[in-house]
Amino acid sequence: MKRMISLLIALTMLVSIFPASLAESAAYIPAPYNPAEVDPTVTYLEPAFYENENGPTIGVTTVGVINQDGLYFRDSNNNQVLDDFEDWRLDAKVRATDMVSKMTLEDQAGFVVNALMTNPVVNTLEAAKNEDGTINPGAIVAMVPDGEESKNAYANGFASLDSFVINTQKVRAAVYRGNLGFEASTVALLNNVITEMAEADSALRGVPAIPATLISNPISAGFPDTQGMAAAAAGDGNYDAIREYAEVDRQMWIAQGINAMYGPQIDLASDPRWPRNNTTYGERPEVTAGIITALVEGYQNGTGGMKPGAVALSVKHFPGDGSSENGFESHSKTGQWRLYPTAGSLEKYQLVGFQAAIDAGAGSIMPCYSRDSADARSAVQTYRGHEIKVNQLGSAYNPEIITTLLRDIMGFDGYVNTDSGIVTTQNYGVEDMTEVERYAQLIRAGSDAIGSGLRTDYIIEAVNSGILDKADLDRANINRATSMFQQGRFDNPYVDYVAADAVRGELLATASKQAYALHQKAVVMLKNSDNTLPVTETGKKVYIASFTGKGADDSIEESFKTIFEARGFEIVSKASKADIAYLFVNPTATSGQGATSSEAVLSLVEEYEVDERDKDNDTQAKTGDKITVTTLEDVDKIPKIAEDVHANGGKVIATIECSSPWILTNLEPYCDALLVNYTITSVQQYASTASTSILNAFNAQLDVMTGVYAPTGKLAVTLVSSEDVVALHTETLADGTEAELCASPNDVPGYDKDQYIDPAVLANVPGGSYAYQDANGNYYVSGFGLSY
């Protein structure tokens, strides 16, 4: 072990509190704490900081600081020599390459995997304190006695981060799952405690101390969901509001020590039954491209690549999961295939957003689980004149996808971060490989960070056995480390946990105003017969009814009653006594997954029979049985409500929550005015902000209804005209096999599908189009939206 500098605790604290300028005469500043004497799993170590006048602040706990040329540098490996990787004046790639050359094999194995489930043990700063007011690290990170294997470390590959994982497996990255349910100070402490433990572990071994990376899925601060964002931006005709939202959100993340995002999801919505369409930015490639460019600029502190103060985005799911086989989702085997029946669709539609992300300098790309089909249903795809070869491997295992296409052809130079279940569950095309072989294949194919798994011993075994070339592991480490150096986190990985709550609170106040404005902009007015809207006269009598897949929602009805009354309307209990019948329609999507599965149903129906699919999810084969699904319970009551209120000379105004591109035959004809909402379903997973976001969405609906805000929103996805245009039928393919084909191609967005649908099918569809046509003759195609 390389020589360590031991300090008395008293001297340590003096070094920590004196200004850095007092130490300028010294060539070397010892570490504030000696990890052989102070255990960071027991004692929280207040970091020492040294400010460079025209450079980064240096933050340390158990490693020293080099004072050279009047500048401060972090002596990450405590060798009292300024190594290239410690010199912040050098290029990030040069630093990364040098650091990786000095890492052990076990450190390299730990650096390329992420722990999947990580939250502070407690959720408040007060609960994290000892009786004397000091921080208890064990209240932040689960502490496992030295040498005792973590209970979670290997369970299904989905481990939470604890002291065993940090110290024994050398894992340095974890996914924070707490959204806004934890005080910002405890999240900031999570970053600091993990980093202190990692730094101490490295200091004891004399190897480069690699800071922790906290990752999160997108965190809801009460904004509309992603399609709502697209609806708002399309109405604006620019992406300024998206960029401004991302800039504010970035500052909240950085204040908490969260430095990377598993997102945003920019798959193009092209099969209407795919259950993750509602977490995309819709079906317009140019809108998705504009939004991801704005998000990169906002979250990464500007375009052109990673830089200090950036949150690294992992743009997903490359090359796009939306062209799924008949809408089934790739988290289960029924959805493992992507279909490209349309020549040129990959380049024209699916990759436009990803190319924009790459051109803007996105830090990371996340491949999708699914794999491309080689059967006769798919056409040969090219990009920029290069044919994309099909080898039927899940994208993260597929060098043709993530090395040839993503890097060599499209020009991506960040790091590739796989999705979470890639080794143990969504391992399509490599099912017969051992887990050691899967890790090797992932890294060899071009993956640089593995979303979960934590079997660092398998990576070590793969290298030692010759299955994985050490040069490939070096490449993965260099790519990931380059991003860290570009962000400036290596030089100072610590954040001010005391200030974090105030920073987040102030920024949330700004975000709240941004969110409400975007909720207003996200409202799409589809129908407005006889100028039903706006309703400017108060005092009118309103009957309120809600419809979901499980019956009426009393909480929604009560919320709307409160909002209507606050605006001067009178609530009545019968439609026959109302001037306005207001219907809030929130259908339940059928996902095509589970113990009994079927293709998703887009009609608003109750007890609707569909073919049952293979229960073990290995195929989409029909079992010969039927199952019943309900997307909207009591849907047959809507005509009676309309009849009653119309008989009273009143109007029907409805809002439909567009979690799917619903077929509106059982709703629209009975409405005088019809609005779209994009928020309710997606915000319910964020308990801490759900009620605020829902009320914002409700109030935004009332703003449009009453003339407070003239609607500007545009549909993010084309609404479907009939089940006939998404019907499946069996055909014998050119190679003699039988397969199911969809009446409209899986890989083409709704606004462009008509040209590929059999004219005989369209001839029997209301409106003669894939897009729904309403009673006023308007087609509900993406980009459509009325105003008044």
Side-chain angles (χ1 to χ4, degrees):
M1 179 181 293
K2 297 183 179 179
R3 186 168 66 91
M4 296 292 299
I5 305 297
S6 298
L7 294 177
L8 295 173
I9 296 300
L11 177 59
T12 293
M13 299 316 296
L14 286 174
V15 172
S16 298
I17 63 176
F18 278 151
S21 58
L22 297 182
E24 286 183 1
S25 60
Y28 188 75
I29 304 171
Y33 307 92
N34 182 348
E37 299 174 0
V38 183
D39 184 354
T41 68
V42 176
T43 303
Y44 179 72
L45 313 180
E46 291 290 349
F49 300 101
Y50 301 85
E51 293 188 12
N52 287 294
E53 185 175 349
N54 295 307
T57 295
I58 304 301
V60 296
T61 52
T62 52
V63 299
V65 175
I66 295 170
N67 179 218
Q68 183 171 309
D69 303 325
L71 303 172
Y72 298 105
F73 304 89
R74 186 169 180 256
D75 186 20
S76 172
N77 55 3
N78 274 336
N79 67 352
Q80 302 188 40
V81 174
L82 182 59
D83 296 295
D84 282 351
F85 75 93
E86 296 165 338
D87 190 341
W88 47 261
R89 297 168 297 184
L90 298 179
D91 175 77
K93 192 67 169 278
V94 171
R95 297 181 73 184
T97 302
D98 183 59
M99 186 184 78
V100 171
S101 72
K102 295 175 169 63
M103 293 170 65
T104 67
L105 177 57
E106 63 176 349
D107 284 304
Q108 284 193 318
F111 191 49
V112 297
V113 297
N114 302 333
L116 184 62
M117 303 290 183
T118 300
N119 288 333
V121 176
V122 300
N123 61 5
T124 68
L125 177 60
E126 192 60 34
K129 294 179 179 179
N130 297 308
E131 289 185 1
D132 63 358
T134 59
I135 299 298
N136 172 18
I140 300 297
V141 178
M143 302 300 174
V144 176
D146 187 39
E148 180 181 324
E149 184 173 313
S150 165
K151 295 178 181 178
N152 294 321
Y154 298 143
N156 298 318
F158 299 141
S160 58
L161 193 67
D162 56 31
S163 61
F164 173 85
V165 174
I166 295 168
N167 294 323
T168 304
Q169 293 180 280
K170 316 307 177 190
V171 172
R172 300 294 184 255
V175 184
Y176 168 67
R177 297 285 183 178
N179 299 301
L180 293 176
F182 289 75
E183 288 184 354
S185 51
T186 62
V187 184
L189 277 169
L190 180 64
N191 170 81
N192 288 3
V193 171
I194 292 169
T195 296
E196 288 181 359
M197 291 168 60
E199 189 171 309
D201 171 68
S202 299
L204 288 168
R205 295 181 293 122
V207 299
I210 300 172
T213 296
L214 278 186
I215 311 163
S216 180
N217 286 96
I219 296 173
S220 172
F223 285 83
D225 65 16
T226 52
Q227 285 198 11
M229 293 286 203
D236 276 349
N238 63 67
Y239 305 96
D240 294 346
I242 306 296
R243 185 191 67 255
E244 291 163 3
Y245 135 76
E247 287 173 347
V248 171
D249 207 31
R250 171 184 64 83
Q251 295 173 65
M252 280 193 276
W253 285 51
I254 293 298
Q256 297 170 92
I258 309 175
N259 302 107
M261 179 191 294
Y262 271 180
Q265 183 194 338
I266 65 166
D267 309 69
L268 197 74
S270 57
D271 189 296
R273 293 157 300 191
W274 188 47
R276 297 192 75 176
N277 280 331
N278 66 329
T279 52
T280 72
Y281 293 99
E283 69 179 21
R284 291 279 177 173
E286 69 279 7
V287 171
T288 297
I291 288 175
I292 188 55
T293 301
L295 290 173
V296 169
E297 185 174 0
Y299 276 109
Q300 293 191 181
N301 206 16
T303 56
M306 299 296 296
K307 51 183 64 66
V311 171
L313 299 183
S314 289
V315 180
K316 60 185 185 181
H317 306 88
F318 186 82
D321 242 350
S323 56
S324 61
E325 182 183 15
N326 303 327
F328 286 83
E329 219 294 298
S330 62
H331 277 75
S332 63
K333 290 185 177 180
T334 47
Q336 66 184 287
W337 297 105
R338 298 190 306 277
L339 297 184
Y340 300 111
T342 312
S345 65
L346 190 65
E347 182 164 23
K348 183 177 181 181
Y349 307 115
Q350 305 290 333
L351 291 180
V352 173
F354 288 103
Q355 188 64 66
I358 293 166
D359 293 344
S364 176
I365 296 288
M366 179 181 288
C368 60
Y369 287 136
S370 61
R371 48 180 172 159
D372 41 0
S373 171
D375 68 29
R377 289 178 294 176
S378 286
V380 172
Q381 298 295 319
T382 62
Y383 194 77
R384 294 179 173 173
H386 299 268
E387 180 179 333
I388 309 304
K389 297 177 182 177
V390 176
N391 60 18
Q392 300 191 82
L393 293 175
S395 291
Y397 291 100
N398 190 341
E400 181 68 18
I401 295 295
I402 60 175
T403 295
T404 302
L405 175 59
L406 178 60
R407 291 199 183 276
D408 299 343
I409 301 176
M410 298 181 72
F412 177 64
D413 64 358
Y415 66 94
V416 174
N417 196 124
T418 78
D419 212 335
S420 300
I422 194 67
V423 175
T424 54
T425 50
Q426 287 82 27
N427 43 43
Y428 309 134
V430 296
E431 294 92 340
D432 293 335
M433 288 185 179
T434 65
E435 287 196 29
V436 173
E437 292 169 331
R438 290 175 195 164
Y439 277 104
Q441 178 63 25
L442 285 169
I443 296 169
R444 185 168 54 241
S447 295
D448 304 310
I450 298 171
S452 68
L454 297 196
R455 292 308 301 255
T456 55
D457 55 328
Y458 285 171
I459 298 174
I460 294 168
E461 181 182 341
V463 173
N464 287 336
S465 66
I467 298 174
L468 175 62
D469 194 317
K470 178 63 161 49
D472 288 321
L473 183 59
D474 287 347
R475 179 223 72 234
N477 273 261
I478 290 169
N479 285 341
R480 189 164 204 188
T482 298
S483 176
M484 177 186 67
F485 283 114
Q486 289 169 333
Q487 289 175 287
R489 293 192 300 106
F490 178 86
D491 304 300
N492 178 27
Y494 298 105
V495 295
D496 186 348
Y497 75 87
V498 176
D501 289 323
V503 171
R504 191 173 80 177
E506 182 178 344
L507 292 170
L508 273 174
T510 300
S512 179
K513 296 176 183 177
Q514 292 177 318
Y516 194 78
L518 280 165
H519 275 289
Q520 290 176 316
K521 293 179 179 182
V523 177
V524 182
M525 186 166 71
L526 293 180
K527 187 178 183 181
N528 193 24
S529 298
D530 300 322
N531 297 316
T532 297
L533 300 180
V535 180
T536 57
E537 297 179 36
T538 59
K540 287 185 175 291
K541 297 177 180 179
V542 180
Y543 168 78
I544 298 173
S546 64
F547 295 85
T548 76
K550 298 179 180 179
D553 187 323
D554 292 340
S555 64
I556 285 179
E557 291 184 10
E558 287 302 316
S559 294
F560 269 113
K561 287 177 182 177
T562 300
I563 295 170
F564 271 104
E565 287 177 332
R567 299 197 184 210
F569 293 94
E570 179 185 348
I571 305 302
V572 296
S573 59
K574 294 182 179 180
S576 59
K577 297 183 180 296
D579 301 307
I580 297 170
Y582 178 69
L583 314 180
F584 189 83
V585 181
N586 185 10
T588 298
T590 57
S591 66
Q593 297 184 79
T596 58
S597 63
S598 67
E599 63 269 25
V601 174
L602 299 176
S603 296
L604 305 181
V605 289
E606 184 174 9
E607 296 294 313
Y608 183 80
E609 280 198 347
V610 289
D611 291 316
E612 183 186 56
R613 301 282 170 165
D614 191 352
K615 289 184 176 65
D616 64 12
N617 287 327
D618 283 337
T619 71
Q620 294 180 16
K622 297 176 182 178
T623 66
D625 295 327
K626 297 283 187 179
I627 60 175
T628 58
V629 298
T630 293
T631 58
L632 202 66
E633 192 172 300
D634 295 329
V635 63
D636 58 348
K637 292 182 179 180
I638 292 175
K640 182 63 166 64
I641 292 173
E643 179 183 352
D644 287 349
V645 74
H646 286 151
N648 196 43
K651 301 286 188 179
V652 177
I653 303 171
T655 296
I656 183 163
E657 195 278 313
C658 269
S659 57
S660 293
W662 302 112
I663 298 169
L664 302 181
T665 311
N666 291 329
L667 174 65
E668 176 272 325
Y670 308 103
C671 300
D672 300 286
L674 180 60
L675 304 174
V676 164
N677 180 79
Y678 281 113
T679 302
I680 305 306
T681 299
S682 63
V683 301
Q684 288 175 344
Q685 63 184 299
Y686 305 114
S688 61
T689 56
S691 59
T692 299
S693 190
I694 290 172
L695 288 175
N696 280 346
F698 288 174
N699 273 293
Q701 297 289 314
L702 267 291
D703 286 346
V704 169
M705 289 183 218
T706 58
V708 173
Y709 185 87
T712 58
K714 306 298 179 185
L715 276 176
V717 174
T718 299
L719 303 191
V720 179
S721 62
S722 167
E723 295 287 352
D724 290 344
V725 297
V726 292
L728 304 178
H729 59 280
T730 302
E731 284 190 15
T732 301
L733 304 179
D735 59 6
T737 62
E738 287 192 343
E740 282 190 301
L741 296 176
C742 184
S744 56
N746 307 94
D747 57 342
V748 174
Y751 71 87
D752 231 6
K753 284 187 189 285
D754 278 359
Q755 62 183 305
Y756 301 105
I757 300 175
D758 185 345
V761 172
L762 293 180
N764 291 310
V765 169
S769 173
Y770 172 88
Y772 184 89
Q773 184 186 38
D774 71 10
N776 296 333
N778 292 316
Y779 286 91
Y780 294 170
V781 67
S782 59
F784 174 77
L786 300 172
S787 192
Y788 48 69

